[in-house]
Each structure stands twice: as C-alpha cells, then as structure tokens.
Amino acid sequence: MKMFDPHIHMTSRTTDDYQAMANAGVNAVIEPAFWMGQPRTNAGTYEDYFMSIVEWERFRAKQFGIHHFATIALNPKEANNLYLADDVIKMMPRFLVKESVVAVGEIGLDDQSDLEEKYFAIQCEMAKEYNLPILVHTPHRDKKQGTQRCLDIVKESKINPEMVLIDHNNEQTIKGVRDRGHWAGHSIYPFTKMDSERMCAIVKEFGSEKIIINSAADWGVSDPLMVPKTVKVMLNEGVSEGTVSEIVWDNPYNFFNQSGKLEKLLINDRPSINQSQLFEGNSVLRGQDPIIQE
Amino acid sequence: MQDLLNSYFLGTTQEKLQILNGLIQEKNIKFLFKIFSVSDTDEKKLILECLDQGDLNGEFKAIYLEAMRTNSSELFSFMAHTRQYPKSFFTEAEYNQMVLKALFVDISVQKIIGIKERKNTKLNTMINDYIEERELANRSLPIGVEEYNNLGD
Ligand SMILES: [Zn+2]
C-alpha cells in the first residue's frame, strides 16, 4: 500500500527518520512551512527557510527514496510580528510558483488575534490568485471556537471549499468541516490528544470521505511513523484495505493535486535513489557506501 | 543597526536600563522590539520588567504579546505570575489566551496576576471546552483547571 504523510516537518528530523519512514512504506511527504519553535527575528531567515524546504530538504528526502513537496506561508503565530509579516507576504509569490510547492499553508489561527485574521485572509486571496489549495492550521487552544472562526474566514474568502484542508481535527470539529465541503486532516500524536486507536474509531464512525491523516512530526515529541502505525491499527481493527488506502494515499493525492503539480512529479512510486549525488557540494553521507539505484 | 545592538548587549545592566528607558520615552517600539527579539531569557525579563514600570499607557503591548508566544515556561510564568502589565493592558481576548496557555504549559492559574478581576464568561466557556477536549483524549486535567474553578465569582 502506498502511503503519504501530508504534514510533517522533516527539516527538524534526522536521516534515521527518513530511513525508518522509507522502510515502513512511506512514499511521499509534504512539508508545510511553519514556525521554528522560537520566533524568527527577521524576514530574511524566512527566505532561507523557504529555500531549504523546497530545495535542500527535497534533496535529502530523495536520497532515501521519498518524494518531498512543500507548502509555503506566513504561519499564524508569526502573523503577529508586525516587523516581518509584510515582507514575508511579499516574498511568497516566487516560492508559490516553484514546481514542488503544492499549497499555501500552514495558514490559519493560533491566538485568534486580529492580525492573524488579517494575514489568513490575505493568504486565502493569494491561494486563489495562484490556483493553489490551502492548508489550514486550527488552534490547539480554544479549538472548538477557533476552528469555527477559521471556517468563517475561509467562507468569507469565497475560496472553493474543495480547495481547503482543515487540519488538526478531532471528533468535535470534523462534522462542521465536512459539512462545509472541506477536507479534514487529523494529526496523530504519540501519547496525546489523538492516537491511532482514536483515529480508527473516527474512521469507523465518519467513513473515509475527505479524511486525511498525518504525523505532524516536528522538533517536539512526535513520531514520524504515525501514518504507517495507524494504517496497521486500522487494518487490524477490520477497516478494509481499500478504505485505508483511500485515507493514506488517494485523499491526500487528490487534494494536493488540485495544484496541478503532483501528477507531473509523482509518476513513480518512489524517486530512484542515488546517494552519490551532491547538493551544492554536500552529501547526506558521512563516508558510508552510497546506495545507487539509477 | 548591528553596532547599536552590540553597544546595548555589551553594556552593564545599568547601561541597558538607561537605553531601555530612553527607548520607552521616545516611544521607539521598533528598535525595542528588535532588541527584544534577539535577547535571551534573562535579557527578555529585564525588558519586560522595564515596560511593566515605564510604559504607563501600554504602548509597547506588542512586545508583551510577542513574549507570550514563548516556549519557555520560565519566561511565561514570569509574565503571568509577577507582572502587572497583562492585567492592565491586555484585552479580554488576549488575557484569556494567556490563561489558556497557562493550562497548556501547566503552571498555576490562581497565581496569574488579576485573574479574579478579569475572569469572564468567555473564559469560562473556553475552559469548559478545554475540559471536554481533554476528556475525549482521556487525558487528566492540569491543576490550573481546579484552581480556576475554585476562584469563586
Ligand atoms: Zn505543522
């Protein structure tokens, strides 16, 4: 079964993680632009970050046979920083047109401040202009109200509801999201809010239509194998292979392919590995024998 | 710019305070924000303390709000538990976010400055939603929830 992890911050993970993901059957990942754990002090570091997720990280992933795509955005937390927000918005267009950028995201709300709402709306407009879907981060605090507010802002933007993936859902929010015609993402975390069993129960109750799962793994306590692990749990619990495959491949593929970009880049199940390749003179290897499939 | 930053950071605490108070008087939010954003935790505390004492009209609130986004519970509880600034200048929505965040980083809620006066019905709803969410995830409630419920009206 082919698997997509459509929300994972690989830039904060190791090559061991890439190897383990490849071994567990993950074929493709999407890396949404997000914040780095501590606030950025200027817009320039955003530029380097965007470059690294569309170039360097993509190169790393390929060295382990994993397709890598990115989404680009000013994240909601940093929308509150008056001194960098506008500059980041201005640099976004040249990244949005890159071949591996498949959506605008993560946009959305965090503290639910006025500035967050302002830049959320601006970026919905950009998505329409560049014909890209949007990936919406819903707040972890005050989730119920915050998700509702996200849905309202999306509606006000008049973006096609099919072009919207609302992320970090739970049982309280999923119905409202699908009723509006959006896709519903679920981040599966180890030990916490949403584990594989709970996700499985959601699938049994709500079916697979427009349901997407991801690991949302980043620099915090998280598990980059959450998608394959949840696949196992769902199959063990009697969810059919067709349904599972729809959730971990067809749905994310169909959603992000609305950018028109996946069908051009995802021709093979895996990119062929050539670890002898260098990126600006750098290798992912440290003296090991390179694996070469080409 | 780098020269100005260096002369600030290489100065003694006394010299830092002088510069900070000068910036507050000039209402130079932009440069103070820049200094703040490249300060470490202790240096940030100094700035927040200065604002708490010198910014009498809450004109530098953007810096407090930025500071509230920290991942450091030390810095967070310094603001929430020891500074008057949030109580004086945060809007209801901003104050509520601070209380919710206190639950998330698992620090005391009853110690938040102004919590009794600034408790409000929206916050009650937010905390009830939060309890419901934790229960769905089979997770225990942080101590702050009980503290909040024991505050009385
Ligand atoms: Zn994320």
Side-chain angles (χ1 to χ4, degrees):
Chain A
M1 183 183 303
K2 285 194 285 183
M3 287 182 224
F4 223 124
D5 189 342
H7 185 153
I8 183 163
H9 302 284
M10 291 311 297
T11 186
S12 41
R13 311 299 307 193
T14 63
T15 51
D16 281 358
D17 288 334
Y18 270 125
Q19 191 60 64
M21 289 166 75
N23 294 347
V26 176
N27 303 70
V29 296
I30 291 175
E31 172 136 15
F34 201 50
W35 89 308
M36 306 201 307
Q38 71 170 18
R40 292 177 175 89
T41 63
N42 64 81
T45 54
Y46 247 103
E47 200 164 22
D48 290 335
Y49 173 73
F50 287 163
M51 276 310 291
S52 84
I53 63 175
V54 302
E55 288 283 315
W56 167 243
E57 206 48 52
R58 201 166 170 223
F59 168 80
R60 279 210 318 151
K62 187 169 182 277
Q63 299 303 300
F64 297 88
I66 293 178
H67 292 287
H68 182 283
F69 308 96
T71 76
I72 291 289
L74 168 71
N75 70 69
K77 271 179 194 279
E78 283 165 332
N80 290 295
N81 185 335
L82 299 161
Y83 302 112
L84 66 79
D86 285 330
D87 282 343
V88 176
I89 294 291
K90 277 184 210 142
M91 73 175 70
M92 278 175 56
R94 63 178 184 271
F95 289 98
L96 293 178
V97 298
K98 295 224 184 286
E99 65 166 2
S100 66
V101 174
V102 293
V104 175
E106 301 177 48
I107 53 178
L109 299 176
D110 185 57
D111 276 352
Q112 304 180 46
S113 69
D114 293 346
L115 280 170
E116 290 172 18
E117 295 197 357
K118 172 184 161 187
Y119 287 102
F120 185 2
I122 287 175
Q123 294 183 92
C124 288
E125 286 308 310
M126 292 175 89
K128 288 195 300 190
E129 191 183 337
Y130 290 88
N131 286 317
L132 290 171
I134 60 173
L135 169 61
V136 179
H137 168 93
T138 53
H140 297 299
R141 296 180 301 282
D142 197 17
K143 167 152 282 308
K144 221 163 140 185
Q145 312 280 340
T147 304
Q148 193 50 49
R149 188 68 200 121
C150 284
L151 294 179
D152 291 344
I153 292 169
V154 164
K155 194 171 177 189
E156 284 156 26
S157 82
K158 300 198 168 67
I159 191 170
N160 174 0
E162 295 271 339
M163 294 285 264
V164 180
L165 168 54
I166 306 284
D167 219 336
H168 314 313
N169 282 283
N170 62 24
E171 301 87 339
Q172 292 173 306
T173 56
I174 178 172
K175 192 170 177 300
V177 166
R178 287 205 309 192
D179 284 353
R180 294 267 178 108
H182 306 317
W183 301 68
H186 301 79
S187 301
I188 323 283
Y189 300 95
F191 323 118
T192 63
K193 2 189 184 198
M194 177 64 77
D195 60 16
S196 301
E197 283 73 22
R198 191 170 160 205
M199 187 62 225
C200 187
I202 289 181
V203 169
K204 284 183 171 171
E205 184 177 347
F206 295 92
S208 57
E209 196 196 335
K210 289 195 166 136
I211 297 284
I212 287 174
I213 64 171
N214 61 65
S215 71
D218 57 14
W219 33 257
V221 177
S222 45
D223 182 350
L225 298 182
M226 268 308 169
V227 170
K229 283 179 181 171
T230 305
V231 163
K232 232 179 226 168
V233 170
M234 288 195 284
L235 292 173
N236 283 343
E237 291 284 319
V239 181
S240 78
E241 217 173 301
T243 301
V244 176
S245 167
E246 206 178 306
I247 292 169
V248 299
W249 187 264
D250 301 346
N251 287 352
Y253 180 89
N254 290 333
F255 176 75
F256 287 102
N257 195 38
Q258 296 182 97
S259 64
K261 295 178 183 176
L262 286 185
E263 63 198 32
K264 293 183 196 140
L265 296 165
L266 257 179
I267 300 157
N268 301 311
D269 286 358
R270 292 186 177 279
S272 59
I273 299 173
N274 182 349
Q275 293 184 341
S276 69
Q277 281 178 350
L278 301 179
F279 181 88
E280 312 245 332
N282 292 311
S283 165
V284 294
L285 301 178
R286 293 294 176 268
Q288 299 86 350
D289 288 332
I291 297 168
I292 302 173
Q293 292 176 337
E294 292 168 326
Chain B
M1 169 74 108
Q2 295 303 334
D3 287 343
L4 286 170
L5 286 173
N6 282 340
S7 68
Y8 172 81
F9 282 103
L10 295 173
T12 63
T13 304
Q14 272 320 309
E15 289 164 340
K16 282 196 179 94
L17 285 171
Q18 235 165 34
I19 294 176
L20 291 174
N21 287 324
L23 291 170
I24 293 173
Q25 260 169 15
E26 290 164 23
K27 303 194 194 308
N28 191 340
I29 301 183
K30 195 168 182 185
F31 190 55
L32 194 50
F33 196 99
K34 179 70 199 176
I35 292 180
F36 181 83
S37 66
V38 292
S39 293
D40 66 23
T41 300
D42 283 339
E43 291 160 346
K44 282 189 166 126
K45 282 185 184 171
L46 185 73
I47 295 171
L48 294 167
E49 211 172 329
C50 240
L51 288 177
D52 199 17
Q53 283 156 15
D55 178 21
L56 302 175
N57 301 311
E59 286 162 306
F60 289 74
K61 189 168 72 173
I63 294 179
Y64 255 85
L65 291 173
E66 176 71 8
M68 284 288 166
R69 278 175 206 105
T70 181
N71 270 333
S72 150
S73 57
E74 181 193 339
L75 189 63
F76 186 79
S77 44
F78 173 79
M79 288 182 280
H81 291 167
T82 75
R83 298 295 110 195
Q84 299 291 324
Y85 201 99
K87 172 188 148 191
S88 311
F89 301 119
F90 278 17
T91 63
E92 183 177 280
E94 289 157 357
Y95 195 87
N96 290 353
Q97 281 294 331
M98 175 175 73
V99 176
L100 266 195
K101 196 153 184 190
L103 294 178
F104 271 76
V105 298
D106 207 0
I107 64 165
S108 169
V109 164
Q110 71 190 12
K111 284 193 202 151
I112 296 177
I113 307 268
I115 184 73
K116 273 200 169 158
E117 302 98 289
R118 300 222 42 186
K119 199 168 177 272
N120 57 75
T121 48
K122 266 198 188 135
L123 185 54
N124 297 343
T125 310
M126 285 160 94
I127 291 190
N128 284 335
D129 286 349
Y130 174 74
I131 294 171
E132 197 182 315
E133 229 176 85
R134 295 284 288 200
E135 280 166 355
L136 274 172
N138 275 322
R139 299 181 71 195
S140 60
L141 294 172
I143 181 76
V145 170
E146 201 189 319
E147 288 181 1
Y148 185 81
N149 289 331
N150 289 339
L151 287 173
D153 292 314

